[in-house]
Amino acid sequence: MFRVPWVCSRCLVRPARTSIYQGLLLQRRTYKTDLSPALLTHARTLAVEHAALSTQLADSFDAKIAKRIGELAQVADTLKEWDNANETISELQSLLDDPKTEAELKSLAIEDLESSKLTLPSISESLKKALIPRHPFAELPCLLEIRPGAGGDEAGLFAFELMKMYIAFCSRRGFRCTIIKKEGGEGSAEDRLSEAVLEIETDGAYDTMRTESGVHRVQRVPATEAKGRTHTSAVSVMVLPSFPETGSGTDGAHGFDDPNSDYYIDPQEVRTEKMRASGAGGQHVNKTESAIRLTHIPTGIVVSMQDSRSQHSNRKKAWQVLRAKLAEQRREAREQELVELRRGAMGGVARMGRGDKVRTYNYGQSRCTDHRSGLTVHNLDDVLAGGQGLESVMDSVRTWFGDREIAVMTAEASINHEVQRRA
Amino acid sequence: MPRLSTRTILEAYQQDALLPLLLRECRTIDSARSELRWLRQHAIDLTQLRKEQRYQHLQHLQQARKSGQEHAPTTKQPHRKPTHHQPPENAPPKGWRRTLRTLCHARARGTPLQYLLGDQPFGDLTILCQKGVLIPRNDTETFTYAAAEQIRQHFPPPKPRPEPAFPSPPTRTLKVLDLCTGTGCITLLLHALLSPSYPSLKIVGIDIHPPALRLARTNLHHNVTLGDLSTRATEEVEFRRADVLASPAAAAATPNSHSVGQLPALEELLPRIPEFRTHHPQDTASHVLAREDEGASEGDGKGEVQVDVIISNPPYISRKAFLDGTTARSVRFHEPVLALVPPSSASSGMKSVEGVGQTQAEDVFYARILGLVGGVGARMVVFECGDHEQGGRVVELCRRAVELQKLGGSWEVGIWEDETVVEAGGDGEKEGACMVVMKQVQG
């Protein structure tokens, strides 16, 4: 007789499950990877521009031109590589097609042809990467604003956890991170937020963190729930560029004092309010009230700051946040314009704004899913500790950003191509 | 002061049991909550510090005992309960709640928050505070920033040379005198604000109170150590003791008063500061005006001193305003009267000051300082005043000083206004402290 020892079904499943836990489930949506002729034409025009600017720079130095050349250099170099590879391939091909070629040479040519054909995809991949325009704020440090959305107390609790997650992430990555504003809700409960602003002072932090902008959804049984029901609440995270102090910035694009700059803020348009009780001032009283509220009148953006005991430093921080918010808003507006233009041409391009749900943290299933890249990580604790899990999610989103950018660019370039051909 | 409503107190209590205590001084829940946050952080830091100190002390004792009985077998190990449960790394130390409660009770009795916390941020600096020395106010911070801006406009800083390879000619030193400096806050912040644009500076803070001077010097080193002040400050900032009100006549009567132990008057002290003397021949040539003024003031030997800017936040509360409830309880009971109310020896009623004429008792400092302007050749004077009424009186004093001392050139006197700031909570009327600026526009 068969005597099979009794084995719990769960134990049978477990080995399979651990592999799921360890290997992150990758379900990335990828776009087509081959280089379209339209994109290639685009790259060629950029390379021509690069060459023209280089000769111009040889005559007279200009910081702006030098910067533009730096941006284009990679495209030009990769394009050259691509051309070289293609040339080799065509030469080898002609060698093969030639009936007079010796057999020995032919076998060598076949080997060479194979190896050069293998390098082609990687070159085209890097060419595409080079073609993605740099984000205007990519090199800047950033501000991270966390606000609870729908979900009441539970949202505040989760907002606090998100803040801890980002702080842990920053310390793991070696980013300098300070809390410049932290407001708890009603009462002195330490573990819930009504608003928090983190400043991440490392250059390039904006590029790293910009995958985090959007609405983060949490599904769990909250600590405040008596009947064990799962709640869904939302926390919105906003990543804002943090600009260097005025005066030190030589960068024309981010000048605030220059009225022609995109990010110029007219001080006349900002109302500063000091929270101050009426009555005597100066030496007569010793008020510790140091809150400052800035209102940008044209847009109605209000920033209030009361964390520091010094009115001056509150005002400085409030200005920093206000500037960041306005810059982000203006950039978004411009992006929106572009999207409108594209939509007219190609009928709808997905755009993720900060109003869209980007990620779900599900405690019951211990998973974290990003809705943009479609990546699911089954180790929620690691994600919330700002560990490798979070990093892989962020990486997947960054890749998704790149893919999407390329898709848009390809579509646009092919439309231009079409238009030119018809004309 | 209106009574706190029961509802407010209850609401505060529901948020935190300690809030009603703070409410007695703060009057609004928002501000009480902020204070509670700062106090909590301080309590945690303080407890941690004490714990470390105690630990170090214990270790020290143990080492001493060990060295005492080198050869005796040390069987007695300090017995410790085995702990299964380690507290997390950054958990607040035990006992901080008790510290916090003590702090809150002290605050409820009116002790200023800055005395409890030990410091007050002032601009980018951290000014240490100590009982017996006036706490820097937010208003003063605003005024110091404005004053620095005015100074930069009035004395255009030398243009940075594009090629530092050339030996630059010795630049003129900007000389600033801060009277009644207290914690040294104005002196230090001015240095922090002006030093990037002026290659050479000299700022001297004067006070009468030795503990204040000691604190001011500590503050100087504290901020240099923190890196908020450039190391130039140790050379360019100085604190000296003098009696601002001491009349020059009395000083003249006892020429070597410093050896007798009496405080030097300003007229005596200033020539002793080498940077303020105009001994360079080429320098004197460029200050003919100042020399003429000295000639006008009978050339009594006190001359040969030149200062560009005088800034002061002197005691300005009148005897009446100190007692009738205008001055807050916390200020009256816990901050030094010396720094708030001009001395009573300058008896009530009108008083005559040389070079300015009759003044009210609470304005006596302004009058006395204005009397100096001609003697030192200052081209800009900045005062903090208690309210706009006093500001108006000081403006009047300034005009009279220009007339009586026959100060050359034309002078502009006015109350400085911050146009960009709206004061929430105020009823639109001009309330609170103000800043009077007097500057020579030509001459």
Side-chain angles (χ1 to χ4, degrees):
Chain A
M1 290 293 286
F2 301 111
R3 274 210 52 137
V4 180
W6 181 86
V7 178
C8 156
S9 63
R10 276 207 184 163
C11 297
L12 279 174
V13 173
R14 187 159 293 158
R17 280 195 72 89
T18 46
S19 70
I20 297 174
Y21 274 113
Q22 279 159 4
L24 308 164
L25 264 184
L26 279 162
Q27 333 171 315
R28 225 167 20 87
R29 294 176 205 154
T30 47
Y31 289 87
K32 248 167 67 182
T33 50
D34 50 319
L35 209 56
S36 74
L39 217 54
L40 208 57
T41 335
H42 180 55
R44 286 206 196 287
T45 50
L46 287 183
V48 168
E49 191 190 343
H50 178 253
L53 286 178
S54 296
T55 51
Q56 201 180 328
L57 193 69
D59 297 337
S60 63
F61 182 80
D62 185 355
K64 255 186 196 163
I65 293 179
K67 203 180 158 209
R68 178 76 184 149
I69 286 180
E71 282 168 8
L72 294 177
Q74 215 190 339
V75 177
D77 290 350
T78 335
L79 191 67
K80 217 174 273 171
E81 227 173 286
W82 164 265
D83 284 343
N84 284 344
N86 270 330
E87 211 171 304
T88 336
I89 288 173
S90 62
E91 259 173 38
L92 289 171
Q93 199 67 48
S94 67
L95 205 65
L96 281 179
D97 293 344
D98 195 353
K100 279 180 276 180
T101 320
E102 292 163 36
E104 206 175 309
L105 200 62
K106 240 180 197 174
S107 66
L108 276 175
I110 288 173
E111 253 174 53
D112 272 8
L113 188 64
E114 263 165 21
S115 67
S116 10
K117 271 191 178 161
L118 275 179
T119 57
L120 219 49
S122 77
I123 295 176
S124 82
E125 203 47 38
S126 59
L127 182 58
K128 270 185 213 166
K129 280 225 182 82
L131 278 176
I132 299 173
R134 284 282 282 170
H135 194 279
F137 302 147
E139 316 95 71
L140 292 174
C142 72
L143 299 177
L144 195 80
E145 191 192 61
I146 303 170
R147 279 169 185 274
D153 264 5
E154 156 68 358
L157 285 169
F158 187 66
F160 187 74
E161 252 158 83
L162 272 189
M163 186 182 79
K164 277 201 307 196
M165 174 176 94
Y166 287 123
I167 291 174
F169 175 77
C170 288
S171 70
R172 213 174 62 82
R173 287 284 299 262
F175 291 169
R176 246 175 69 111
C177 164
T178 43
I179 301 175
I180 62 172
K181 179 176 186 178
K182 184 182 156 201
E183 269 174 30
E186 288 289 296
S188 61
E190 280 289 274
D191 56 349
R192 65 194 67 176
L193 287 181
S194 64
E195 192 188 347
V197 180
L198 300 181
E199 185 184 11
I200 305 171
E201 288 167 71
T202 311
D203 284 348
Y206 183 86
D207 202 32
T208 315
M209 304 305 291
R210 78 189 164 104
T211 57
E212 300 306 293
S213 248
V215 174
H216 295 233
R217 186 172 70 166
V218 60
Q219 293 172 325
R220 64 172 176 187
V221 182
T224 50
E225 166 68 45
K227 289 179 185 158
R229 290 170 294 198
T230 303
H231 287 210
T232 299
S233 5
V235 172
S236 90
V237 174
M238 218 155 113
V239 179
L240 307 166
S242 162
F243 293 95
E245 293 232 345
T246 45
S248 62
T250 48
D251 204 336
H254 303 142
F256 293 102
D257 302 326
D258 175 18
N260 304 319
S261 154
D262 268 353
Y263 306 111
Y264 174 69
I265 300 175
D266 187 356
Q268 297 296 319
E269 287 177 347
V270 178
R271 190 172 66 221
T272 312
E273 282 170 281
K274 267 189 214 173
M275 312 297 171
R276 193 182 155 273
S278 56
Q283 293 173 2
H284 296 95
V285 292
N286 178 17
K287 282 267 177 257
T288 54
E289 187 86 86
S290 57
I292 285 280
R293 187 165 62 202
L294 299 182
T295 314
H296 188 245
I297 299 162
T299 56
I301 294 179
V302 177
V303 178
S304 66
M305 198 59 83
Q306 55 174 33
D307 279 38
S308 164
R309 282 191 283 139
S310 155
Q311 222 160 40
H312 173 76
S313 77
N314 275 336
R315 184 198 296 228
K316 216 162 72 176
K317 282 177 189 162
W319 264 100
Q320 193 186 3
V321 175
L322 180 70
R323 250 186 233 134
K325 281 193 173 176
L326 273 171
E328 184 75 11
Q329 204 184 45
R330 286 176 191 177
R331 185 191 64 80
E332 252 171 39
R334 214 168 335 139
E335 210 163 78
Q336 186 64 42
E337 258 171 45
L338 274 181
V339 167
E340 293 294 327
L341 279 177
R342 282 172 184 166
R343 186 171 288 150
M346 34 192 287
V349 175
R351 181 181 161 275
M352 297 293 273
R354 63 189 140 102
D356 300 298
K357 177 184 75 187
V358 297
R359 200 175 288 163
T360 297
Y361 303 79
N362 189 313
Y363 278 64
Q365 300 164 13
S366 180
R367 71 174 165 90
C368 170
T369 303
D370 197 282
H371 302 294
R372 294 163 294 184
S373 64
L375 179 76
T376 298
V377 173
H378 284 278
N379 190 352
L380 188 61
D381 290 342
D382 183 42
V383 172
L384 287 175
Q388 193 58 46
L390 179 63
E391 193 149 357
S392 62
V393 173
M394 287 169 73
D395 281 342
S396 77
V397 178
R398 207 163 302 120
T399 322
W400 181 80
F401 273 158
D403 288 350
R404 204 184 44 148
E405 199 73 52
I406 290 171
V408 169
M409 218 158 48
T410 316
E412 214 171 0
S414 62
I415 286 169
N416 288 345
H417 204 61
E418 200 75 0
V419 169
Q420 275 170 13
R421 225 183 42 192
R422 266 184 213 158
Chain B
M1 193 152 51
R3 185 185 288 266
L4 287 168
S5 74
T6 320
R7 227 181 93 219
T8 317
I9 296 175
L10 265 177
E11 200 185 315
Y13 184 77
Q14 277 164 1
Q15 294 187 10
D16 195 305
L18 291 172
L19 270 188
L21 284 175
L22 298 179
L23 215 51
R24 288 185 205 167
E25 265 308 313
C26 301
R27 313 310 290 180
T28 61
I29 289 190
D30 271 344
S31 123
R33 262 216 315 248
S34 295
E35 285 205 4
L36 185 62
R37 196 176 63 232
W38 298 321
L39 282 172
R40 178 186 290 127
Q41 193 53 50
H42 181 64
I44 291 172
D45 293 347
L46 200 68
T47 322
Q48 186 70 40
L49 188 75
R50 278 189 199 144
K51 202 173 141 190
E52 275 161 21
Q53 276 171 352
R54 204 159 46 226
Y55 180 68
Q56 275 171 5
H57 181 67
L58 271 178
Q59 265 194 335
H60 188 72
L61 278 185
Q62 264 180 2
Q63 270 176 2
R65 200 182 303 154
K66 256 187 200 161
S67 60
Q69 25 179 278
E70 197 81 64
H71 304 291
T74 50
T75 49
K76 242 189 174 178
Q77 286 291 322
H79 180 69
R80 233 183 238 165
K81 243 198 239 168
T83 46
H84 302 291
H85 161 76
Q86 284 283 322
E89 191 70 16
N90 49 4
K94 262 184 162 180
W96 67 274
R97 274 168 222 280
R98 186 188 300 173
T99 319
L100 177 62
R101 206 158 42 235
T102 321
L103 289 173
C104 286
H105 277 286
R107 183 74 184 116
R109 285 191 300 271
T111 314
L113 184 75
Q114 292 86 344
Y115 287 161
L116 292 175
L117 301 184
D119 59 16
Q120 164 72 20
F122 194 75
D124 293 328
L125 308 180
T126 310
I127 299 292
L128 302 176
C129 298
Q130 215 176 64
K131 196 157 173 55
V133 185
L134 189 81
I135 296 163
R137 305 290 202 258
N138 272 331
D139 291 328
T140 311
E141 187 185 28
T142 313
F143 296 150
T144 310
Y145 271 91
E149 190 50 46
Q150 298 260 337
I151 290 173
R152 237 176 277 137
Q153 279 172 15
H154 201 62
F155 301 91
K159 292 268 183 309
R161 305 189 138 254
E163 284 167 68
F166 284 103
S168 55
T171 42
R172 223 183 134 273
T173 308
L174 182 78
K175 299 161 208 166
V176 182
L177 187 61
D178 174 20
L179 298 171
C180 309
T181 185
T183 50
C185 54
I186 297 180
T187 313
L188 298 175
L189 187 58
L190 269 186
H191 189 273
L193 293 177
L194 295 178
S195 61
S197 12
Y198 295 91
S200 177
L201 269 173
K202 181 71 190 180
I203 310 184
V204 175
I206 306 272
D207 207 285
I208 191 174
H209 195 43
L213 282 172
R214 227 173 295 134
L215 186 65
R217 288 183 190 123
T218 318
N219 271 324
L220 170 61
H221 294 295
H222 181 68
N223 281 294
V224 170
T225 323
L226 286 180
D228 295 333
L229 269 179
S230 74
T231 41
R232 270 170 61 191
T234 44
E235 295 284 319
E236 295 179 339
V237 173
E238 208 178 316
F239 294 101
R240 296 283 191 124
R241 188 167 177 222
D243 184 356
V244 176
L245 285 185
S247 69
T254 52
N256 47 0
S257 52
H258 56 284
S259 58
V260 191
Q262 200 188 343
L263 276 178
L266 277 177
E267 278 83 352
E268 272 184 288
L269 179 88
L270 293 181
R272 285 188 224 147
I273 301 169
E275 285 85 352
F276 282 179
R277 292 168 64 140
T278 53
H279 51 269
H280 300 300
Q282 73 271 27
D283 214 321
T284 37
S286 65
H287 294 288
V288 185
L289 181 87
R291 284 170 61 81
E292 274 171 6
D293 282 338
E294 282 152 24
S297 55
E298 292 121 23
D300 48 7
K302 74 183 176 188
E304 303 299 313
V305 171
Q306 205 271 326
V307 173
D308 295 313
V309 182
I310 299 179
I311 185 165
S312 181
N313 175 18
Y316 54 61
I317 300 180
S318 68
R319 215 122 268 285
K320 182 172 160 291
F322 189 67
L323 297 172
D324 71 356
T326 315
T327 308
R329 179 185 66 145
S330 152
V331 176
R332 240 180 315 140
F333 290 167
H334 294 273
E335 293 198 68
V337 185
L338 182 70
L340 297 166
V341 187
S344 53
S345 62
S347 58
S348 57
M350 301 303 269
K351 193 174 181 312
S352 174
V353 174
E354 190 198 342
V356 183
Q358 298 277 309
T359 73
Q360 288 192 18
E362 64 264 31
D363 301 339
V364 65
F365 270 95
Y366 300 112
R368 168 76 181 104
I369 293 166
L370 283 169
L372 275 172
V373 174
V376 299
R379 286 188 286 156
M380 185 166 168
V381 184
V382 182
F383 289 127
E384 179 181 323
C385 303
D387 47 34
H388 278 70
E389 200 189 318
Q390 187 171 34
R393 286 201 305 269
V394 172
V395 168
E396 194 47 48
L397 277 179
C398 291
R399 298 222 169 96
R400 239 189 301 159
V402 171
E403 237 170 72
L404 283 173
Q405 295 178 56
K406 297 192 181 61
L407 299 177
S410 76
W411 290 73
E412 203 179 271
V413 186
I415 295 177
W416 175 79
E417 303 284 355
D418 191 354
E419 300 92 357
T420 58
V421 175
V422 181
E423 285 183 349
D427 40 8
E429 216 173 284
K430 294 278 178 209
E431 276 182 321
C434 65
M435 181 171 92
V436 171
V437 181
M438 161 175 163
K439 52 190 172 186
Q440 188 183 32
V441 282
Q442 284 165 25

